[in-house]
Amino acid sequence: MTALILAQAALWGTVLLTVAVVLLLLQRVRALYRKIAPLGALSPVQPTIIMLDTHNLVTLAGNDISIGGTRGNGRKLLLLFVSGRCLVSQKMASITQDFCKRENLDLFFVGDDTPAAQQAALHTLGIEASSMINTTSIGKILGVDRVPFAVLLAADGTVEARGLVNNREHLESLLRVTETGHASIQSYLDAHPHALSPS
């Protein structure tokens, strides 16, 4: 009987110790999130412009569209720069479509490849030809040097936020610019140089 009581006491002691460790880890994770802030999109190259003028382009479906400048519908526009050969782009294509529907954003995919490669990319990425643009100029103007890269344009063509996006949290961080005042994680770290320092 004494052995059973000791075993039960040891078991309860282990459970209580485990709970204490989990609570301590939770507290540390919360402190870490407060330190680094919920900004995820990384901008490796500084943009050359802060406002994108109107550019008249054609989608892979042959539709004439305008990118930049004042939008008649008053909605924000998300440009996602992708490649059919990029596995992360393939993952982000469906995530971004769902995200833009939920957030009431217009969306265009932008690529820079041969027409044949872009037609193949439509199948690989699972997107419609009417939502894909093949151009080199927009990426150069916006300082895009790798994919998948997202640029959020305000209804007047202002570049609100931009950065590499590898998950939904990165996309959500682009919309937090108006709340945080920081368009990228670099901007936040410049304003808070000790954010990653040990407490």
Side-chain angles (χ1 to χ4, degrees):
M1 182 64 82
T2 303
L4 182 60
I5 293 173
L6 289 175
Q8 286 289 332
L11 179 62
W12 278 107
T14 302
V15 169
L16 292 174
L17 182 60
T18 302
V19 169
V21 170
V22 169
L23 291 175
L24 182 60
L25 286 174
L26 183 60
Q27 184 181 24
R28 297 299 291 174
V29 168
R30 286 179 178 167
L32 179 62
Y33 272 106
R34 283 196 298 271
K35 279 180 172 291
I36 64 175
L39 295 172
L42 180 67
S43 300
V45 178
Q46 291 300 316
T48 56
I49 60 169
I50 59 172
M51 180 171 287
L52 183 65
D53 294 328
T54 302
H55 292 260
N56 296 315
L57 301 167
V58 179
T59 67
L60 294 187
N63 303 325
D64 294 322
I65 61 164
S66 293
I67 299 293
T70 302
R71 295 178 58 75
N73 61 9
R75 287 159 54 112
K76 293 183 180 183
L77 172 65
L78 185 72
L79 300 177
L80 184 66
F81 293 80
V82 293
S83 169
R85 295 185 295 271
C86 171
L87 293 178
V88 182
S89 292
Q90 294 172 24
K91 177 188 80 169
M92 289 305 299
S94 60
I95 290 174
T96 304
Q97 289 179 93
D98 178 67
F99 174 80
C100 288
K101 286 179 183 177
R102 191 188 71 191
E103 299 295 339
N104 199 32
L105 301 173
D106 288 338
L107 170 66
F108 280 111
F109 295 92
V110 185
D112 175 11
D113 211 329
T114 64
Q118 294 297 52
Q119 288 295 333
L122 292 177
H123 175 70
T124 304
L125 297 171
I127 60 179
E128 300 292 331
S130 58
S131 65
M132 181 75 165
I133 309 159
N134 190 30
T135 177
T136 59
S137 59
I138 299 296
K140 290 179 180 177
I141 292 171
L142 294 171
V144 177
D145 67 342
R146 63 194 77 178
V147 295
F149 195 99
V151 177
L152 181 64
L153 299 175
D156 64 354
T158 301
V159 179
E160 284 196 350
R162 55 192 294 282
L164 289 168
V165 288
N166 296 325
N167 52 51
R168 182 181 294 271
E169 288 72 24
H170 287 172
L171 289 171
E172 291 173 348
S173 74
L174 299 177
L175 295 181
R176 293 196 189 102
V177 172
T178 54
E179 301 171 15
T180 65
H182 300 288
S184 70
I185 195 166
Q186 290 100 319
S187 173
Y188 176 82
L189 292 176
D190 287 343
H192 303 85
H194 303 294
L196 298 181
S197 301
S199 55

